[in-house]
Amino acid sequence: MSKAPALREVEIETHTTCNARCVYCAYPFIAAEKPPARMDQGVFARVVSELDFARGELERVHLHHVNEPLLNPRLAEHIRFVRRTLPGIEVGFSTNAILLTPGKTEKLLDAGLNLIYITIPSSDPDEYARIMGIKADVNRVLENTAYFIDSARAGTRIVIRSPVGFDKKLRQFLERFDDNIVIEEMELMGRLGETRLAQRGSGTLSGRPAPCRLPWVKHTLIVAADGRVPLCCNDQKHLCIVETVADKSVQQAWTSADYARARDATQNRNRPEDFICNRCEFGVQEGWNE
């Protein structure tokens, strides 16, 4: 059994709601099955404070998981608390920017936000609505994004993402910000078979178990709103819970034998047949049945 690796990234799910129903995300299925939940404020503060054990290795804290962080009315407060407790790291979140109004931008930047991932799947209104699964004004999203980029302090990392590629109009919009942003084409994920769009055609996985191809998995801790710890961010429905911080410290959870066994299995070709990684495109040798 291997020793716990360096803890470099943490994802904290402060609540479980989203304002979109993206076709490439498992959230619509989750929302239909589970009532919304919110992390207890005391649990949040304890989790962040207990990350001190990883000081020197910890690089960033994400205040997101399978949700829209801007729906959290205490988001700026949470960012400020993380920045004060763990100075010197990146603190941010991923958002669709629908709610990233100029007023919220100012509050978040004042709180110390220095990392943001903004997902914009298309500049075409109809295509945007189709992918997002809701009626929303993509032009307002672009205005919100532009305001944030123009307002961001030096050293703020801004990543603009698209799950289906960048169309011509969207690229033209982003060109004037080239020096201040990172443009990243997301790799669509099957989310353990939950999102058919992310699969190639209508195929299913084939091939034998192989070490996980997502290098950040073994260095990332995810804490769900209820304090449970799922194995990785690809397990959006939390089918593989490896630990909990509800009744133990973050360090105890990260270094536990149960977590170590699960972590080892992600890299093992001889793992149990029913292990969750065998259902993931990143946990098997390349191969699809069409």
Side-chain angles (χ1 to χ4, degrees):
M1 192 158 50
S2 63
K3 178 182 177 182
L7 176 57
R8 294 179 182 149
E9 300 193 41
V10 177
E11 255 181 49
I12 303 176
E13 183 182 52
T14 61
H15 66 93
T16 63
T17 52
C18 187
N19 57 347
R21 297 294 186 274
C22 299
V23 295
Y24 56 86
C25 181
Y27 178 78
F29 306 102
I30 297 170
E33 297 174 358
K34 296 181 180 180
R38 187 173 298 276
M39 179 175 282
D40 177 82
Q41 182 65 11
V43 172
F44 173 80
R46 178 175 63 80
V47 167
V48 172
S49 297
E50 289 179 354
L51 291 175
D52 186 70
F53 84 91
R55 191 182 294 270
E57 299 173 337
L58 189 64
E59 298 173 1
R60 60 192 61 90
V61 170
H62 304 284
L63 297 179
H64 67 238
H65 185 39
V66 192
N67 62 5
E68 170 50 61
L70 289 170
L71 289 170
N72 180 359
R74 306 185 76 165
L75 182 58
E77 176 186 339
H78 286 164
I79 290 169
R80 184 172 287 107
F81 181 76
V82 177
R83 294 286 290 156
R84 185 173 64 245
T85 306
L86 300 164
I89 69 167
E90 288 186 319
V91 182
F93 58 87
S94 178
T95 177
N96 56 40
I98 293 172
L99 301 175
L100 191 63
T101 61
K104 286 190 177 179
T105 284
E106 298 296 338
K107 289 181 180 178
L108 295 169
L109 292 173
D110 287 344
L113 178 73
N114 60 359
L115 171 63
I116 192 168
Y117 303 91
I118 299 175
T119 302
I120 310 174
S122 176
S123 65
D124 178 78
D126 293 335
E127 182 67 359
Y128 180 83
R130 183 190 71 79
I131 296 172
M132 297 294 289
I134 58 170
K135 291 183 178 180
D137 186 354
V138 67
N139 291 318
R140 179 61 57 85
V141 170
L142 296 177
E143 291 172 5
N144 290 344
T145 300
Y147 186 88
F148 185 94
I149 297 170
D150 288 336
S151 303
R153 282 62 163 169
T156 301
R157 187 154 64 96
I158 303 169
V159 182
I160 310 298
R161 292 171 159 174
S162 174
V164 292
F166 292 86
D167 58 60
K168 183 177 180 181
K169 181 181 175 181
L170 187 52
R171 286 194 177 278
Q172 290 175 339
F173 166 77
L174 296 172
E175 278 178 359
R176 68 185 175 99
F177 305 113
D178 274 352
D179 294 337
N180 300 310
I181 63 175
V182 175
I183 297 177
E184 181 180 282
E185 292 195 16
M186 299 165 59
E187 182 174 2
L188 286 175
M189 300 181 183
R191 303 298 185 188
L192 306 174
E194 296 295 334
T195 54
R196 290 187 297 275
L197 177 75
Q199 294 183 355
R200 304 171 193 180
S202 58
T204 57
L205 283 172
S206 62
R208 294 172 295 175
C212 177
R213 291 185 285 114
L214 300 179
W216 63 84
V217 166
K218 68 178 181 179
H219 296 286
T220 301
L221 170 73
I222 300 168
V223 181
D226 58 6
R228 297 187 304 162
V229 176
L231 178 59
C232 89
C233 62
N234 216 16
D235 179 15
Q236 294 190 332
K237 294 186 76 171
H238 300 168
L239 303 176
C240 182
I241 298 298
V242 296
E243 263 298 349
T244 178
V245 298
D247 56 3
K248 63 183 65 174
S249 72
V250 174
Q251 183 175 15
Q252 287 173 328
W254 180 249
T255 60
S256 75
D258 286 343
Y259 205 156
R261 279 189 287 270
R263 199 180 285 121
D264 288 347
T266 68
Q267 303 301 312
N268 194 338
R269 297 178 186 273
N270 298 314
R271 55 188 175 233
E273 184 176 342
D274 61 350
F275 192 70
I276 194 168
C277 294
N278 296 342
R279 295 167 51 191
C280 175
E281 64 264 42
F282 300 104
V284 298
Q285 291 178 320
E286 285 284 2
W288 290 79
N289 292 319
E290 295 295 339

